[in-house]
Amino acid sequence: MDCELLDPGYSGYIFTWYNGWSPSKRIWKRLDRILASHEWMSLFDSTNFNHLIRTGSDHSPLFLIAKTNQRDPIKYFKFLDLWAEEVDFKSVVEQAWNIKVQGSPMWRFHLKLKNTSRQLSEWSKNTVGNIFDRIKELKDTVGKLEDNIILDNSENMALLNQANAMLIRVYKKEESFWKQKSGVKWCVEGEVNSKYFHSNLFTKKGVISDMSILDCIPKIINDADNEMLTTIPTMEELREVVFAMSSQSAVIRFQKH
């Protein structure tokens, strides 16, 4: 059975077993080895496999240090449409945008976007919260109130109606969230790559091992195109682009070098 396991190599002594016999019948073999799957090698891409010195045994101990160079993914700011339904949303944006900043026009624009996104993220965390956890809490509350009313008809229906109304509002937020997210789902699915292709094309450090593959990429940008692409846009051109953006589009980020 092919388990698709790899022998990632090792450092240290070549052989891991010795029969201990006289020179004429002495045998050295690499009987012991560590095997890993493609998934494991992708997850721990900077791992050391070592053959240690034999002590008290005819087999060498194997020592594995599992490490990874992968960093935590960067969490980019994402505007949620459901925020706009909150009463204090506009005031949060105005307060963040009106913070005084210094620098060139584009740098001030960048800082204002950064301040606004930071304030919105903090506000969402404290005010909107996790809508999925909130739905679970409200469903539990509604269930308990319904049970109480079934057991005791004198229970106040107003509390149950209030909890149901809150649950409906949070359900609408959830619907807005998934509606917005579904608009970008195709990008995520379209970027999924074959694990087998990655394991063969790239080395463990993420560098292309076969540089000849780059020759297959056609060169379609000429000098004139490159000059046009590197030309700094005018303020009027930037204004037209920004104001022509869809309300569902991501905000352009600028970075100072």
Side-chain angles (χ1 to χ4, degrees):
M1 181 176 63
D2 184 6
C3 297
E4 297 185 354
L5 297 178
L6 306 174
D7 184 347
Y10 61 91
S11 61
Y13 295 94
I14 299 176
F15 304 111
T16 64
W17 176 80
Y18 165 52
N19 64 355
W21 289 13
S22 60
S24 61
K25 297 181 180 180
R26 187 171 298 165
I27 300 176
W28 300 82
K29 291 287 185 179
R30 186 190 174 204
L31 295 182
D32 311 280
R33 63 188 66 207
I34 298 174
L35 301 178
S37 65
H38 292 286
E39 291 81 0
W40 197 92
M41 293 296 295
S42 297
L43 182 61
F44 301 100
D45 56 352
S46 184
T47 299
N48 295 325
F49 304 88
N50 302 298
H51 295 173
L52 303 183
I53 299 175
R54 294 185 308 278
T55 53
S57 173
D58 51 359
H59 289 268
S60 297
L62 306 183
F63 184 56
L64 181 151
I65 303 177
K67 297 186 297 183
T68 177
N69 288 325
Q70 297 178 1
R71 299 179 179 179
D72 294 334
I74 300 175
K75 295 182 178 180
Y76 293 99
F77 173 77
K78 175 65 177 179
F79 180 87
L80 298 180
D81 293 344
L82 61 91
W83 290 345
E85 303 298 326
E86 298 295 325
V87 176
D88 53 346
F89 165 75
K90 186 176 180 180
S91 62
V92 173
V93 174
E94 289 179 345
Q95 182 179 0
W97 190 264
N98 290 330
I99 295 176
K100 299 295 183 181
V101 293
Q102 302 295 326
S104 65
M106 291 309 302
W107 182 243
R108 293 201 304 271
F109 180 60
H110 162 73
L111 291 179
K112 284 181 175 291
L113 288 177
K114 186 176 181 180
N115 290 336
T116 304
S117 62
R118 184 187 297 115
Q119 292 290 338
L120 280 174
S121 297
E122 189 67 23
W123 164 80
S124 176
K125 179 180 179 181
N126 297 328
T127 303
V128 180
N130 188 313
I131 57 177
F132 305 106
D133 290 343
R134 184 60 175 156
I135 287 175
K136 184 178 183 302
E137 293 172 0
L138 287 171
K139 287 172 67 176
D140 291 341
T141 300
V142 169
K144 291 178 181 178
L145 290 173
E146 287 181 344
D147 290 340
N148 291 338
I149 291 176
I150 292 174
L151 296 175
D152 185 358
N153 288 329
S154 63
E155 282 286 338
N156 190 350
M157 284 290 296
L159 293 177
L160 177 60
N161 293 336
Q162 182 181 9
N164 270 317
M166 294 176 63
L167 180 59
I168 291 173
R169 286 198 294 270
V170 182
Y171 269 139
K172 289 186 177 297
K173 293 180 181 180
E174 182 192 34
E175 180 183 5
S176 174
F177 173 83
W178 288 117
K179 181 179 179 181
Q180 181 180 1
K181 191 174 181 64
S182 65
V184 297
K185 185 177 180 182
W186 67 271
C187 293
V188 177
E189 293 179 345
E191 292 171 358
V192 174
N193 298 290
S194 167
K195 293 180 289 185
Y196 180 79
F197 173 78
H198 265 89
S199 64
N200 286 276
L201 178 61
F202 294 92
T203 63
K204 291 196 295 182
K205 293 185 178 180
V207 180
I208 296 177
S209 57
D210 184 6
M211 299 303 294
S212 63
I213 194 173
L214 298 179
D215 297 332
C216 300
I217 302 176
K219 297 179 180 179
I220 59 176
I221 303 297
N222 56 37
D223 293 339
D225 293 331
N226 187 63
E227 183 178 357
M228 183 271 292
L229 291 171
T230 55
T231 301
I232 299 177
T234 65
M235 291 300 297
E236 183 60 29
E237 290 173 332
L238 289 172
R239 183 181 183 280
E240 291 179 1
V241 171
V242 172
F243 281 90
M245 290 173 61
S246 167
S247 60
Q248 299 291 329
S249 299
V251 178
I252 301 173
R253 288 299 190 104
F254 298 91
Q255 184 172 357
K256 186 176 181 181
H257 296 282

